[in-house]
Amino acid sequence: MSQENMKKSATDIRPRRSWLSRIGSVVKWMFILGVMGVLFAGGAVGGFIASIVKDDPVRSEQMIQEKVGENVVTGFAYFRDGMPIGQLRTEEDRRLIAYKDLPQLVIDAVLAIEDNRFYEHHGVDVSGTLRAVKQKLLNESVQTGGSTLTQQLARRVFLNLDKTDDRKVKEILLSLRLERFLSKEEILTAYLNKVPFGNGSNGYNVYGIKAAAKGIFGIDNLDKLNTAQAAYLAGLPQLPSAYSAFNGYGEFNEAAFNRALDRQQLVLRRMLEENKISSSQYQEALAFDIKKSLAPHTKKAYVTFPYLMMETERQAAAILLTLENNNQESAKGASQLEEARQLLLTGGYRVYTTIDKKVYSAMHSISEDSSNFTKESKSKGLEQTAGMMIENKTGAILGMIEGRDFNVESMNYATQMVRQPGSTMKPIAAYLPALEGGLIQPASILDDAPIILKDGEKGFHIPKNANNRYQGLVTARYALNNSLNLPALKLFDEKVGIKNAWAFAKKLGITTIQDEDYGAQTGVLGGLKYGVSVEDLTNAYSSIGNKGEFNDAYMIEKIVDSKGKIIYQHKVNPERVFSEQSAYLMTDMLRTVVTDGTGSTVKSKYKHFKDIPIVGKTGSTQNYADVWFMGYTPDITLGMWVGYKEQINTLESKTQRKQAQSLWAEVMNAVIDKKPDLFKAKTFDKPEGIVKETVSAYSGKLPTSLTDKFTTDIFNAKYVPKDGDDGISNAKYITYGGVNYIPRDGTPGDFLKEKIVVSREKPIEELINELETAFKSMKEHEPLDYYLPADAKTGVPTEVDPRVDDGGAPAAPGNVEVSYDTGKAVIRFAQSGSPDVVGYRLYSSVNGGPFRKVDVLLAGDGTTFTTDTPASDYAVFYVTAVDVAGNETSSGSVGGGMPTPEPSPSPEDGLFPDMGTTPGDQVLPDPGLFPGSAGDPGATPNQPSADGGQGTPSADGNEADAGGNNGGH
């Protein structure tokens, strides 16, 4: 037992460890525990970091390079001479700069305040970060922030700007990765191209050092910044909204500016501490007056030139979309255009337009002057206008009036509005194609007589002229001068043909023709489905000024990308659409529209006739919802429109209806004064092949021995008439109801006329038959005589007098009475009730002498005789009715107190010594038919009189009323 105890005690007794052994053991366990702690802490930190960045992608070098180099870059628009219109609208005004263009002064200022150890760290400044943590934990009054430039760049490019712990971790990791793939120069350059600097003097937010220098100090070249300015700019990115010297409107902000000055002084101290500037430079910078060096306040281009900037956006975006589609015209959906517009606004493009600033300003000086317009209407709104000026040789748009007030109506009336063109379409779709096809010449004779068109609602439609008259046979020049509707309709519908007319118009740039327009018989008067734009119509007229060559109008000259590469350059590509001869003839006809026709207001207000020739065409739609004037010189074409936004609202006063002409003349006067060098040509050059000829004023053909009326005008030598005047003849006839008829046997000769009569394409008798047939299907129409042309009585008779002898003497005229007007006897009577009466004879006895026949009056020509018998004479009168067979019945006598007159004397009684023939054989003269002087260009068989009589346009010179279907004037 004891033995066992001894053994046990021996086993339990161990040797005592030394103190070194004990220390080593402690150290060992501390190391193990330390390693385990570090591993645990590292794992915890790693797990924490992993949880933060688990959803973040691992960004490749390529992605980093692309994102850092990706910038929203400000684009700009320029006038024709390269002067800026303004910057394209965007949230950011950013102008990129390369590292080689960064002055050392700017670099020193930025690094001194933002990251003075930039070239020493690898993305994260540990000491700076610890310092920032300490300042934050201790809530110190001065807190510097620990973010390096690399971290700020990483945050701006890849992260949001919220200040969270999670974001800070991501920022540090991203910074380390950026430093791995980017050089210090690339990081610094990217930073200075991306950070915000507040608002510039025009109110835009400026991003990047280059935009900041321009927007805040008006300095384009950073080398021109002094120390004070560089330090001022370097201090802004910390709190750009608090330090911005300008607000969102470009107005000066005193409080923010003072805060920025305090920040600038801090930057200067840091630069001094870092030995980036000397003490003298420091003092000089402090003394510099920053406020005086600020850029002057300027309005944004979208405030100064809102219409123009919006139009530049629209057109340039469409070009970019076309380029993206490899120059193939394709459907441009709204979403595609919007994407192209966003690309334009953010891609740093420079868009060079054709707009001449002086021209544009001159045009707007007229449209912005309210005295040039009718007072605003409460019900109709603002009287609107639009205009466009195009250079004939190139098609370049030099200027435009897009509307009167962008704040009232932002739509561009010159390019986006489509309205009915009225009579301005006549040269484009009627006269020009007819001239080109040799169908007419200025002296050609056209018939201003009614045509009857089918109308689904009314049965038939009979177009009218504005003067409510039909003037009959007139020259093409006269018809255009006075904007007569019927000759233009006949050219459009019958000679040229609607299909050919619209094909011709399309070649001149009219882009709005619809399928339905090919069935619109009054389309040449403006009765289109939609209408035309001011741009299209002005473009079409420009081709006439360009001698028959069409240039598609354009406003964008070129587009340059952010790298300076020209990605689009407009090429002028003229296309000959009609001959120089046709262009010259059309120009000369439009010349007399101004000098002798409906362009009277332009004639009275245009000031430069002696120096710069003009021609043009008026136009207005039914009820004057739209009025136009299209005019051109040898160098430019100007189109003007006036109306209201809503087409239901019409222009009422005479002034309003002439407004397009007035504004056209005022705009031309203003542009010529400001830009005279645009108008180099002093004449319209006459090409070869233009000759002057005298032709018959009855037919437009070569005169014959029978021709007694002539007109002289210019011709295309190819189309000078070769045939003689076979459309006239000498005939004896009787007129009834305004129509000439072949007389029946027995009709007394004193009721017949013998003179030259004219054959017309549609004889008057045929026209009357058509009218009477149409009347049966029309609910409303004018009386028959309203539709008869003024020269209806000059037509060759083709039918026999429809009146037939009833076998008895006609009923006598009744209610005969005499009165005196200006001292001369006037005899009135009531017509006979017999249907076969061909006319009436007036007999008189003076001072007791025998009765003599004084005058005859055709049936239908009234019931009044006017004589030269003075009141002082003792005269007695009576009237007889004569029928188609020569039977005559007399009325009672009147005047002078004489007894009942004897029966009508017979020729054998010798009572008519002054007549020289028997009453039945007398042929009445018809003086004054076909007035007009031979040799006068455009003289016509029915030239209007100066007193506003037959054939004269309405007093205000308005053009014709189509009588429906949006007809033109």
Side-chain angles (χ1 to χ4, degrees):
M1 181 73 170
S2 60
Q3 184 68 28
E4 291 178 358
N5 289 334
M6 289 176 65
K7 290 181 179 179
K8 184 177 180 182
S9 298
T11 304
D12 290 337
I13 297 172
R14 294 186 176 86
R16 193 182 290 267
R17 289 186 295 175
S18 68
W19 63 274
L20 289 175
S21 174
R22 289 175 181 275
I23 292 175
S25 177
V26 170
V27 170
K28 179 181 75 172
W29 283 106
M30 288 181 66
F31 175 75
I32 293 172
L33 290 174
V35 170
M36 291 176 66
V38 171
L39 291 175
F40 177 79
V45 172
F48 175 69
I49 293 174
S51 68
I52 292 175
V53 300
K54 65 179 181 178
D55 296 326
D56 260 19
V58 177
R59 296 172 176 86
S60 66
E61 179 180 1
Q62 181 180 356
M63 179 186 292
I64 288 174
Q65 292 280 3
E66 288 177 355
K67 293 295 289 182
V68 168
E70 188 178 274
N71 286 292
V72 171
V73 184
T74 302
F76 294 88
Y78 298 88
F79 286 110
R80 192 183 197 192
D81 60 0
M83 293 296 292
I85 302 171
Q87 65 188 63
L88 298 172
R89 60 179 170 164
T90 177
E91 294 300 321
E92 304 177 8
D93 177 3
R94 179 183 279 111
R95 313 176 191 200
L96 299 183
I97 190 168
Y99 181 80
K100 63 182 179 62
D101 297 321
L102 286 171
Q104 190 61 45
L105 177 63
V106 169
I107 295 173
D108 289 343
V110 171
L111 295 184
I113 191 63
E114 292 293 341
D115 192 353
N116 64 341
R117 289 168 49 79
F118 175 70
Y119 290 108
E120 299 169 17
H121 63 67
H122 298 287
V124 179
D125 185 355
V126 177
S127 62
T129 302
L130 292 176
R131 182 180 66 250
V133 171
K134 177 179 75 73
Q135 291 170 345
K136 183 174 183 181
L137 289 175
L138 298 179
N139 195 25
E140 295 182 6
S141 59
V142 177
Q143 297 187 7
T144 58
S147 293
T148 63
L149 287 189
T150 312
Q151 287 175 259
Q152 294 181 51
L153 179 63
R155 179 196 318 153
R156 184 159 293 278
V157 174
F158 297 106
L159 305 173
N160 62 48
L161 302 182
D162 296 334
K163 295 184 177 181
T164 64
D165 294 334
D166 287 0
R167 191 214 70 196
K168 197 68 175 179
V169 172
K170 294 178 182 179
E171 179 184 299
I172 290 171
L173 295 176
L174 275 170
S175 298
L176 296 172
R177 195 160 181 81
L178 259 61
E179 291 273 353
R180 177 181 173 189
F181 296 126
L182 300 176
S183 68
K184 289 292 185 180
E185 290 78 5
E186 288 173 324
I187 293 171
L188 180 60
T189 305
Y191 172 85
L192 287 175
N193 277 327
K194 288 184 178 295
V195 291
F197 287 79
N199 297 317
S201 62
N202 57 8
Y204 280 111
N205 291 321
V206 289
Y207 285 75
I209 189 68
K210 186 172 177 65
K214 176 64 175 177
I216 296 171
F217 294 118
I219 294 175
D220 287 299
N221 187 345
L222 296 188
D223 288 324
K224 294 183 179 180
L225 290 171
N226 61 32
T227 302
Q229 292 168 327
Y232 182 90
L233 294 177
L236 298 178
Q238 185 193 48
L239 289 172
S241 59
Y243 296 145
S244 179
F246 302 100
N247 64 18
Y249 299 98
E251 299 165 341
F252 183 67
N253 185 333
E254 183 79 35
F257 172 69
N258 289 333
R259 287 192 292 269
L261 277 183
D262 290 341
R263 178 72 173 169
Q264 177 223 27
Q265 292 170 13
L266 175 60
V267 175
L268 289 172
R269 288 199 300 273
R270 291 288 175 82
M271 293 179 73
L272 180 61
E273 292 169 1
E274 296 290 329
N275 294 317
K276 301 301 181 183
I277 56 174
S278 64
S279 296
S280 60
Q281 289 174 315
Y282 173 74
Q283 293 300 329
E284 183 181 350
L286 289 177
F288 181 76
D289 192 339
I290 282 286
K291 187 175 182 179
K292 283 188 177 180
S293 72
L294 293 175
H297 168 60
T298 58
K299 291 182 179 180
K300 296 177 182 179
Y302 287 86
V303 175
T304 309
F305 302 109
Y307 282 119
L308 184 54
M309 292 300 293
M310 294 293 288
E311 186 64 22
T312 301
E313 267 188 33
R314 193 174 67 85
Q315 294 203 27
I319 291 172
L320 288 184
L321 182 55
T322 301
L323 294 175
E324 186 178 328
N325 292 331
N326 296 320
N327 292 306
Q328 297 297 314
E329 284 293 334
S330 60
K332 296 181 175 70
S335 61
Q336 288 181 301
L337 277 173
E338 178 57 23
E339 288 175 8
R341 191 181 71 86
Q342 288 300 324
L343 176 62
L344 173 74
L345 298 181
T346 60
Y349 293 96
R350 296 177 181 265
V351 182
Y352 293 83
T353 74
T354 60
I355 301 297
D356 186 294
K357 186 175 182 179
K358 289 185 178 180
V359 171
Y360 189 84
S361 298
M363 294 178 72
H364 276 256
S365 70
I366 304 302
S367 64
E368 293 170 7
D369 184 349
S370 60
S371 67
N372 291 324
F373 298 89
T374 305
K375 186 178 179 181
E376 183 175 358
S377 166
K378 291 183 179 179
S379 59
K380 298 179 181 181
L382 203 64
E383 183 182 85
Q384 283 290 359
T385 188
M388 180 166 287
M389 182 174 286
I390 296 176
E391 186 176 57
N392 294 337
K393 290 183 179 179
T394 64
I397 298 172
L398 302 177
M400 67 178 87
I401 296 172
E402 308 92 329
R404 289 183 58 194
D405 188 339
F406 185 82
N407 296 317
V408 172
E409 176 54 60
S410 60
M411 181 183 73
N412 187 331
Y413 282 96
T415 62
Q416 295 176 294
M417 176 194 69
V418 175
R419 298 292 275 263
Q420 295 296 338
S423 291
T424 55
M425 188 56 72
K426 291 174 182 175
I428 303 304
Y431 287 94
L432 256 178
L435 285 169
E436 182 65 8
L439 302 174
I440 63 165
Q441 295 290 286
S444 295
I445 302 300
L446 303 175
D447 197 353
D448 181 32
I451 58 174
I452 303 166
L453 305 176
K454 289 185 178 180
D455 188 311
E457 296 180 0
K458 301 178 182 178
F460 292 97
H461 166 58
I462 306 175
K464 302 176 181 179
N465 290 320
N467 57 9
N468 287 314
R469 297 176 183 177
Y470 299 91
Q471 297 179 222
L473 299 176
V474 295
T475 65
R477 181 187 292 275
Y478 178 82
L480 184 64
N481 283 358
N482 295 279
S483 204
L484 301 180
N485 283 340
L486 281 303
L489 283 173
K490 291 175 181 179
L491 288 175
F492 177 71
D493 290 324
E494 300 168 7
K495 291 186 180 295
V496 176
I498 296 177
K499 182 178 179 181
N500 293 333
W502 289 145
F504 191 89
K506 285 182 177 180
K507 290 182 180 179
L508 299 187
I510 303 297
T511 62
T512 50
I513 303 299
Q514 303 297 307
D515 291 342
E516 294 87 338
D517 294 328
Y518 286 86
Q521 292 176 288
T522 58
V524 74
L525 306 183
L528 303 173
K529 182 177 181 180
Y530 296 125
V532 298
S533 69
V534 177
E535 178 180 359
D536 277 5
L537 197 54
T538 308
N539 200 184
Y541 273 81
S542 179
S543 69
I544 315 174
N546 197 35
K547 304 177 182 180
E549 287 191 335
F550 173 74
N551 285 306
D552 198 10
Y554 70 102
M555 196 188 91
I556 307 300
E557 187 67 54
K558 67 178 178 179
I559 300 176
V560 180
D561 68 14
S562 60
K563 298 178 182 178
K565 179 183 177 182
I566 298 175
I567 62 169
Y568 170 80
Q569 176 72 62
H570 180 83
K571 294 181 180 179
V572 176
N573 185 28
E575 177 185 357
R576 179 155 298 283
V577 180
F578 49 96
S579 69
E580 290 189 55
Q581 290 76 24
S582 295
Y584 185 80
L585 294 176
M586 189 77 260
T587 293
D588 198 65
M589 291 171 72
L590 293 175
R591 172 183 61 83
T592 51
V593 167
V594 175
T595 59
D596 304 318
T598 56
S600 57
T601 301
V602 168
K603 179 182 179 181
S604 66
K605 293 194 172 185
Y606 178 63
K607 298 178 181 179
H608 299 275
F609 273 109
K610 293 182 179 180
D611 306 315
I612 302 167
I614 60 167
V615 305
K617 181 71 185 77
T618 54
S620 54
T621 54
Q622 189 179 14
N623 299 325
Y624 295 93
D626 308 272
V627 295
W628 303 76
F629 189 79
M630 292 286 144
Y632 57 92
T633 76
D635 297 298
I636 65 93
T637 298
L638 172 64
M640 293 295 301
W641 164 88
V642 174
Y644 288 99
K645 179 181 180 180
E646 302 296 336
Q647 286 182 282
I648 194 173
N649 295 323
T650 60
L651 301 164
E652 297 178 359
S653 68
K654 180 179 178 180
T655 299
Q656 282 189 304
R657 293 176 177 183
K658 295 290 187 179
Q659 195 71 288
Q661 292 190 53
S662 297
L663 292 176
W664 191 94
E666 295 295 343
V667 167
M668 281 295 294
N669 292 337
V671 172
I672 291 171
D673 289 344
K674 285 194 173 183
K675 194 74 174 178
D677 56 308
L678 277 179
F679 305 89
K680 297 177 181 178
K682 304 305 179 185
T683 60
F684 289 100
D685 295 333
K686 182 168 71 175
E688 294 183 359
I690 297 295
V691 298
K692 183 179 286 189
E693 292 288 344
T694 298
V695 295
S696 166
Y698 296 112
S699 64
K701 297 181 179 180
L702 296 177
T704 65
S705 59
L706 195 60
T707 305
D708 61 354
K709 300 294 180 184
F710 311 88
T711 185
T712 301
D713 214 322
I714 57 175
F715 288 77
N716 183 337
K718 289 171 57 177
Y719 300 117
V720 172
K722 298 178 181 179
D723 298 329
D725 192 4
D726 56 1
I728 59 174
S729 59
N730 194 33
K732 185 180 287 188
Y733 59 92
I734 189 167
T735 300
Y736 172 55
V739 181
N740 296 339
Y741 291 101
I742 299 170
R744 290 184 177 275
D745 294 339
T747 299
D750 55 343
F751 292 99
L752 303 183
K753 297 177 182 178
E754 185 174 3
K755 62 181 180 59
I756 292 176
V757 288
V758 184
S759 296
R760 54 207 314 158
E761 289 185 21
K762 178 173 288 186
I764 296 298
E765 301 92 299
E766 184 180 339
L767 174 62
I768 290 175
N769 291 335
E770 290 181 357
L771 287 168
E772 290 177 337
T773 300
F775 290 166
K776 297 175 183 178
S777 301
M778 297 176 67
K779 294 181 180 179
E780 296 181 358
H781 61 80
E782 305 291 345
L784 177 64
D785 60 358
Y786 172 92
Y787 298 102
L788 295 182
D791 62 352
K793 296 179 181 180
T794 66
V796 171
T798 60
E799 297 181 9
V800 176
D801 188 345
R803 293 166 292 188
V804 179
D805 180 24
D806 61 8
N815 302 325
V816 181
E817 59 182 29
V818 63
S819 61
Y820 287 86
D821 184 12
T822 63
K824 302 295 178 69
V826 177
I827 297 88
R828 295 179 176 83
F829 61 94
Q831 64 183 11
S832 168
S834 299
D836 61 345
V837 170
V838 294
Y840 302 90
R841 292 175 179 148
L842 174 68
Y843 294 89
S844 73
S845 169
V846 179
N847 297 323
F851 279 94
R852 298 177 181 276
K853 184 174 69 171
V854 178
D855 201 357
V856 298
L857 192 65
L858 290 172
D861 283 0
T863 55
T864 301
F865 285 104
T866 301
T867 72
D868 290 329
T869 306
S872 58
D873 284 353
Y874 188 80
V876 180
F877 303 93
Y878 69 92
V879 180
T880 66
V882 183
D883 67 15
V884 71
N887 300 312
E888 182 175 17
T889 303
S890 65
S891 69
S893 62
V894 293
M898 294 289 288
T900 302
E902 302 174 9
S904 301
S906 65
E908 290 78 8
D909 292 335
L911 297 178
F912 305 97
D914 297 332
M915 302 302 291
T917 182
T918 64
D921 293 332
Q922 182 188 15
V923 178
L924 300 181
D926 193 11
L929 287 171
F930 301 131
S933 59
D936 178 20
T940 68
N942 192 34
Q943 195 77 15
S945 60
D947 61 359
Q950 179 174 307
T952 304
S954 57
D956 60 1
N958 291 327
E959 300 144 78
D961 176 6
N965 296 330
N966 291 319
H969 298 284

